[in-house]
């Protein structure tokens, strides 16, 4: 029986791990334990999250809590090393590019445990970004590099540091969760909006939130170019406070800009799947928009998943209010590009991964 350790560093990772939990549970050749690097009372893990995703809560919480990336790295390495003392694993699977992800990857490899990186090969090619450093380290250490698309597969293959490392284009595991949960999405009870009649805004990127002059220009452009179409913004923490304050300064009517605390997974899924368009700085949200064939404008100059732009519904405008305005004009005039579904976004990624690990 192969023992698989799944370690998750932040809330969005659970959406990608849930399909793997289901796939492993259906096999009689492997078993898993699910770890969360944070605390059990982490406020980002809303009470409905695990029921919404149809998955169990983690077996173990490492209890790490810090704002310092170096502190997080050190604490996770210590806690995960102690965990592996008592719970040996054949394979450790890490997700995405967080400091906790890198810490778990280093710890596993120092102990000689096989390492698998889920969503490998993503690059911004900006070495000043902490996440870019994490990606380079994790991919260099991994024995299994599971990629989502052609570009990330090319990057991962080119940068392999060991002859024992193998790259597999398994597809986008986020789509496994989306396909599984699509029939279960439910309208947020606090909204009374007709499908296709509103635009969704999500914000989380610190670089954008801390440059308030730039963000004010982006919000002004979004408001002025969308006529009477309401903008729904489910926000949390810093983003919520900054946007509320800026909109108050701009004297924007509450009927035009609807602010909402972050929503449960199934409600947020319904909201974005039925939107007229989405404006976001999130790669995950842009990927889901492509799956749902919803026009998407990303407030970033790059995307880790280029297929959302080359094949899908996504357009990159960076932090440029002029580019945002031009994209919104196209949207409002009904001139958005025709899009398709990228290769292997078929909901079978988790099954491919389990088959490879057992092979």
């Amino acid at each position: 029986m192969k023992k698989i350790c799944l370690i998750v560093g932040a809330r969005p990772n659970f959406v990608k791990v849930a399909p793997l939990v289901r796939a492993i549970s259906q096999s009689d050749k492997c078993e898993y334990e699910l770890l969360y690097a944070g605390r059990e009372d982490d406020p980002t893990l809303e009470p409905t999250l695990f029921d919404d995703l149809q998955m169990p809560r983690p077996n173990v919480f490492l209890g790490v809590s810090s704002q310092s990336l170096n502190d997080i790295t050190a604490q996770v390495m210590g806690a995960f090393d102690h965990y592996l003392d008592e719970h040996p694993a054949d394979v450790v699977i890490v997700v995405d590019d967080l400091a906790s992800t890198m810490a778990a990857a280093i710890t596993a490899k120092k102990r000689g445990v096989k390492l698998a990186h889920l969503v490998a090969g993503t690059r911004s090619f900006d070495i000043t970004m902490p996440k870019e450093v994490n990606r380079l380290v994790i991919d260099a250490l991994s024995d299994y590099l599971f990629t989502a698309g052609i570009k990330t597969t090319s990057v991962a293959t080119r940068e392999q540091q060991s002859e024992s490392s193998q790259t597999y284009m398994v597809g986008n595991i986020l789509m496994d969760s989306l396909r599984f949960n699509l029939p279960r999405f439910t309208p947020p009870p606090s909204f009374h909006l007709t499908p296709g009649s509103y635009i969704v805004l999500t914000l989380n990127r610190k670089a954008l939130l801390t440059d308030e002059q730039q963000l004010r220009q982006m919000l002004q452009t979004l408001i002025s170019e969308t006529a009477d179409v309401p903008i729904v913004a489910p926000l949390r923490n810093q983003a919520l406070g900054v946007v509320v304050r800026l909109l108050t300064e701009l004297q924007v009517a509450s009927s035009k800009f609807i602010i909402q605390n972050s929503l449960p997974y199934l409600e947020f899924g319904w909201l974005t799947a039925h939107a007229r368009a989405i404006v976001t700085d999130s790669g995950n949200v842009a990927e889901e928009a492509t799956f749902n064939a919803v026009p998407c404008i990303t407030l970033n100059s790059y995307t880790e998943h280029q297929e959302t732009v080359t094949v899908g519904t996504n357009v990159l405008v960076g932090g440029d209010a002029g580019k945002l305005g031009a994209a919104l004009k196209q949207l409002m005039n009904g001139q958005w590009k025709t899009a398709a579904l990228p290769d292997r976004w078929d909901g079978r990624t988790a099954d491919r991964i389990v088959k490879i690990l057992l092979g």
Side-chain angles (χ1 to χ4, degrees):
M1 181 74 71
K2 180 162 285 190
K3 295 181 179 179
I4 299 173
C5 174
L6 299 164
I7 182 162
V8 172
R11 179 193 180 280
N13 294 164
F14 284 109
V15 184
K16 297 178 181 179
V17 164
L20 271 176
V21 169
R22 285 192 295 273
I24 294 170
S25 298
Q26 292 168 4
S27 172
D28 58 1
K29 296 180 180 179
C30 56
E31 59 186 13
Y32 76 93
E33 283 211 331
L34 177 62
L35 279 69
Y36 182 52
R39 304 194 319 258
E40 191 165 1
D41 62 350
D42 187 331
T44 67
L45 306 183
E46 69 269 19
T48 62
L49 177 63
F50 299 104
D51 286 339
D52 284 353
L53 292 173
Q54 297 283 280
M55 68 179 294
R57 289 177 63 83
N59 304 77
V60 176
F61 292 83
L62 297 183
V64 173
S65 178
S66 177
Q67 296 299 311
S68 165
L69 298 180
N70 288 336
D71 284 348
I72 291 170
T73 302
Q75 290 178 32
V76 170
M77 288 182 70
F80 189 45
D81 192 48
H82 179 70
Y83 167 83
L84 289 174
D85 279 337
E86 300 180 358
H87 304 85
D90 297 305
V91 181
V92 169
I93 301 179
V94 296
V95 189
D96 287 338
D97 50 19
L98 303 172
S100 56
T101 310
M102 180 183 69
I106 293 171
T107 303
K109 288 305 291 182
K110 282 188 173 183
R111 298 180 68 103
V113 179
K114 290 289 186 180
L115 178 66
H117 187 199
L118 184 58
V119 198
T122 60
R123 296 288 185 275
S124 68
F125 300 102
D126 180 357
I127 200 63
T128 66
M129 293 177 59
K131 285 188 176 182
E132 186 74 355
V133 176
N134 298 343
R135 293 164 185 154
L136 289 166
V137 172
I138 299 163
D139 279 357
L141 294 176
S142 294
D143 300 282
Y144 303 93
L145 294 99
F146 296 127
T147 66
I150 294 172
K151 182 177 180 181
T152 53
T153 299
S154 174
V155 170
T157 301
R158 184 174 67 247
E159 295 181 358
Q160 279 179 3
Q161 300 295 313
S162 169
E163 292 182 1
S164 63
S165 299
Q166 295 294 323
T167 299
Y168 302 90
M169 181 176 154
V170 293
N172 191 331
I173 200 164
L174 194 62
M175 301 307 114
D176 289 33
S177 278
L178 200 55
R179 286 180 179 273
F180 178 81
N181 290 296
L182 201 59
R184 304 173 57 242
F185 285 162
T186 181
S190 53
F191 298 134
H192 301 284
L193 296 169
T194 305
S197 69
Y198 58 89
I199 292 171
V200 172
L201 171 69
T202 79
L203 292 171
N204 188 55
R205 193 160 58 94
K206 287 185 179 180
L208 187 57
L209 293 172
T210 54
D211 189 341
E212 294 194 8
Q213 181 177 354
Q214 180 189 45
L215 182 56
R216 183 182 290 105
Q217 292 175 344
M218 304 294 274
L219 291 173
Q220 286 177 315
T221 300
L222 180 59
I223 293 162
S224 63
E225 295 293 346
T226 53
D228 58 351
V229 177
I231 299 163
V232 182
L235 304 171
R236 70 165 76 235
N237 301 334
Q238 180 186 1
L240 181 65
V242 171
V243 171
V244 167
R245 178 161 48 78
L246 291 177
L247 292 177
T248 301
E249 293 174 6
L250 294 170
Q251 298 182 329
V252 179
S254 59
S255 58
K256 170 61 179 176
F257 216 108
I258 304 168
I259 300 290
Q260 168 73 42
N261 281 312
S262 56
L263 295 168
Y265 174 76
L266 295 181
E267 293 180 15
F268 182 75
W270 187 94
L271 189 73
T272 54
H274 293 85
R276 178 170 177 176
I278 297 170
V279 179
T280 185
D281 57 7
S282 165
N284 288 351
V285 173
E287 292 165 53
E288 293 179 356
T290 280
F291 178 86
N292 290 318
V294 173
C296 182
I297 301 171
T298 295
L299 307 178
N300 210 337
S301 56
Y302 78 96
T303 174
E304 289 92 348
H305 297 282
Q306 191 63 33
E307 61 268 29
T308 63
V309 175
T310 56
V311 179
T313 62
N314 192 20
V315 168
L316 305 178
V317 300
D320 189 322
K323 290 182 179 178
L324 173 61
L328 289 169
K329 281 186 173 69
Q330 284 188 314
L331 172 71
M332 298 303 290
N333 290 332
Q335 298 174 337
W336 207 253
K337 61 181 178 177
T338 301
L341 201 61
D343 187 25
R344 297 199 180 184
W345 287 32
D346 55 5
R348 299 173 59 193
T349 294
D351 293 334
R352 294 186 188 103
I353 290 172
V354 172
K355 183 177 180 180
I356 290 166
L357 293 178
L358 294 178

